[in-house]
């Protein structure tokens, strides 16, 4: 596992080769839209990317895309995340986790929901996959790179998806000394103790700037919000409603403030990007119908089909432009 702190300075002059990046936003069950986009691309064997960065459900989608398992993310979201075992608000009232991420990710080990991490590793090759997570101790966003081991990869996905309040403590990740290159500068990162990590959406909800820091000059961003949303993300709206329903209002409000600040910074960057970068955002043509959690099966199928359509539209536009 590679740990790199996100606030490295943007220095476009040091990028030696223009990279193409794919960013997958989180959004819980709304990630089924992303699943549709990526399945459309798998169908056409479209994968020109050098860098992948995923947050929460986005990191899960990117993993199944790299594994080549067309239809996997659709089944995973529309079937497993709708089971009562996964989401029970009442568990939080008795000290448990409202969302059972342990059970959810254990399903990826074997059986019909097994993720082919070996195929994903082979497909990734020398390219880079980064999974965002937020350190619960210092509240900073980190970009975690799986080491090829399936259990490590699975833990990173779980950490990136561990919403505070819903999965209270977070996911414990072991420390590791690492030397990596960010814009050709070697950065040594050494954490003396293990830490707990939470949902990457807290500190790095839409890591477009990070992909730019790492040399990406064409950045494709798959969004799970409606195109006209420029204020408050669905993540915040839903989390607030869960907190109010449970009558439990801890210091989590500070997490919400942090998330919104980080979100706005990314939106500002995309609205007025540097001259040397092209940012392409993929939205659903019409409003998505699914929610973060508790979506109906019909709504999820609607959004998956919307993703297929958006993915094919992107490919058609690219073909016309070439």
């Amino acid at each position: 596992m590679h740990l790199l702190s996100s606030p490295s300075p943007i220095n476009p002059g040091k990028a030696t080769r223009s990279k193409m990046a794919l960013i997958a936003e989180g959004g819980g069950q709304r990630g089924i839209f992303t699943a549709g986009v990526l399945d459309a691309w798998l169908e056409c064997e479209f994968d020109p990317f050098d860098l992948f960065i995923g947050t929460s459900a986005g990191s899960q989608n990117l993993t199944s895309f790299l594994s080549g398992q067309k239809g996997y993310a659709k089944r995973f979201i529309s079937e497993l995340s709708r089971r009562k075992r996964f989401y029970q608000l009442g568990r939080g009232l008795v000290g448990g986790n409202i969302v059972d991420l342990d059970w959810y990710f254990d399903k990826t080990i074997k059986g019909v929901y097994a993720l082919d991490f070996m195929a994903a590793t082979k497909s990734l090759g020398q390219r880079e996959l980064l999974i965002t997570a937020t350190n619960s101790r210092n509240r900073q966003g980190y970009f975690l790179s799986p080491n090829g081991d399936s259990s490590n990869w699975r833990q990173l996905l779980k950490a990136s998806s561990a919403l505070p309040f819903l999965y209270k403590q977070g996911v414990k990740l072991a420390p590791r000394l690492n030397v990596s290159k960010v814009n050709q500068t070697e950065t040594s990162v050494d954490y003396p103790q293990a830490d707990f990590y939470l949902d990457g959406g807290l500190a790095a909800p839409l890591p477009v700037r990070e992909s730019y820091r790492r040399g990406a000059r064409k950045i494709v961003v798959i969004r799970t919000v409606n195109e006209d949303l420029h204020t408050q993300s669905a993540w915040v709206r839903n989390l607030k409603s869960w907190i109010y329903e449970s009558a439990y209002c801890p210091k989590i409000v500070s997490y919400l403030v942090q998330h919104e600040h980080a979100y706005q910074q990314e939106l500002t960057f995309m609205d007025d990007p540097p001259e040397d970068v092209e940012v392409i955002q993929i939205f659903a043509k019409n409003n998505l119908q699914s929610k973060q959690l508790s979506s109906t099966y019909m709504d999820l199928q609607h959004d998956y089909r919307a993703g297929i359509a958006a993915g094919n539209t992107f490919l058609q536009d690219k073909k016309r432009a070439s």
Side-chain angles (χ1 to χ4, degrees):
M1 177 181 68
H2 306 272
L3 302 184
L4 288 173
S5 180
S6 60
S8 54
I10 294 179
N11 190 347
K14 289 191 175 182
T16 58
R17 186 179 70 85
S18 179
K19 298 179 183 178
M20 187 172 181
L22 176 60
I23 311 296
E25 186 176 17
Q29 289 179 332
R30 293 168 72 88
I32 201 164
F33 170 75
T34 304
V37 173
L38 297 179
D39 276 353
W41 293 354
L42 282 174
E43 182 71 23
C44 296
E45 299 183 348
F46 176 76
D47 180 10
F49 305 103
D50 305 292
L51 171 65
F52 304 85
I53 309 182
T55 295
S56 194
S59 63
Q60 300 171 39
N61 272 305
L62 290 180
T63 299
S64 62
F65 176 67
L66 287 167
S67 72
Q69 292 174 273
K70 182 176 178 289
Y72 175 89
K74 175 190 176 185
R75 295 196 310 274
F76 203 62
I77 295 172
S78 63
E79 297 174 14
L80 281 186
S81 73
R82 294 183 63 251
R83 292 191 188 178
K84 187 176 181 180
R85 171 67 185 269
F86 178 65
Y87 172 62
Q88 292 184 40
L89 190 60
R91 282 197 299 249
L93 303 177
V94 293
N97 290 314
I98 294 173
V99 171
D100 191 346
L101 289 182
D102 302 316
W103 169 82
Y104 189 69
F105 283 102
D106 281 348
K107 289 291 185 180
T108 66
I109 297 175
K110 60 182 179 180
V112 295
Y113 298 111
L115 255 173
D116 193 342
F117 290 101
M118 185 177 296
T121 300
K122 183 178 180 180
S123 172
L124 184 62
Q126 297 302 309
R127 300 181 294 175
E128 190 173 20
L129 168 66
L130 300 173
I131 297 171
T132 71
T134 303
N135 186 296
S136 63
R137 175 175 51 83
N138 60 24
R139 300 282 186 95
Q140 288 195 27
Y142 289 82
F143 297 85
L144 315 181
S145 180
N147 61 16
D149 176 73
S150 61
S151 60
N152 167 260
W153 200 323
R154 192 178 298 109
Q155 281 295 95
L156 300 191
L157 294 177
K158 186 191 296 187
S160 186
S161 306
L163 278 168
F165 175 68
L166 300 185
Y167 191 84
K168 295 180 179 179
Q169 192 174 23
V171 176
K172 191 174 184 179
L173 299 177
R176 179 171 175 173
L177 178 65
N178 174 55
V179 178
S180 294
K181 289 188 176 181
V182 180
N183 294 331
Q184 293 188 316
T185 301
E186 289 193 345
T187 304
S188 181
V189 183
D190 188 5
Y191 294 97
Q193 75 276 350
D195 272 325
F196 286 90
Y197 287 81
L198 295 163
D199 193 287
L202 291 168
L206 202 60
V208 178
R209 292 181 301 160
E210 184 66 24
S211 68
Y212 182 71
R213 291 185 185 102
R214 292 170 182 264
R217 293 300 176 264
K218 185 167 186 177
I219 305 171
V220 179
V221 190
I222 305 176
R223 306 294 305 278
T224 54
V225 297
N226 300 327
E227 189 170 3
D228 59 353
L229 181 63
H230 289 285
T231 53
Q232 189 182 77
S233 68
W235 188 96
V236 170
R237 291 198 306 274
N238 283 289
L239 194 53
K240 281 183 177 178
S241 68
W242 291 321
I243 293 171
Y244 296 152
E245 279 182 41
S246 67
Y248 179 69
C249 295
K251 61 180 181 180
I252 197 172
V253 173
S254 64
Y255 279 126
L256 302 182
V257 172
Q258 177 184 5
H259 165 83
E260 282 303 283
H261 177 68
Y263 202 78
Q264 289 300 322
Q265 285 184 317
E266 300 294 346
L267 292 179
T268 299
F269 180 87
M270 289 191 294
D271 287 342
D272 187 22
E275 292 182 357
D276 63 339
V277 63
E278 179 185 10
V279 179
I280 302 170
Q281 299 187 65
I282 298 177
F283 293 93
K285 184 176 181 180
N286 300 307
N287 290 347
L288 293 176
Q289 296 182 6
S290 53
K291 300 178 290 185
Q292 191 97 2
L293 287 168
S294 300
S295 304
T296 68
Y297 182 80
M298 293 301 294
D299 286 345
L300 290 170
Q301 297 310 300
H302 172 277
D303 291 351
Y304 176 74
R305 291 192 296 269
I308 291 284
N312 284 327
T313 297
F314 174 88
L315 294 178
Q316 292 163 7
D317 290 344
K318 184 177 182 299
K319 185 177 181 180
R320 281 194 293 266
S322 61

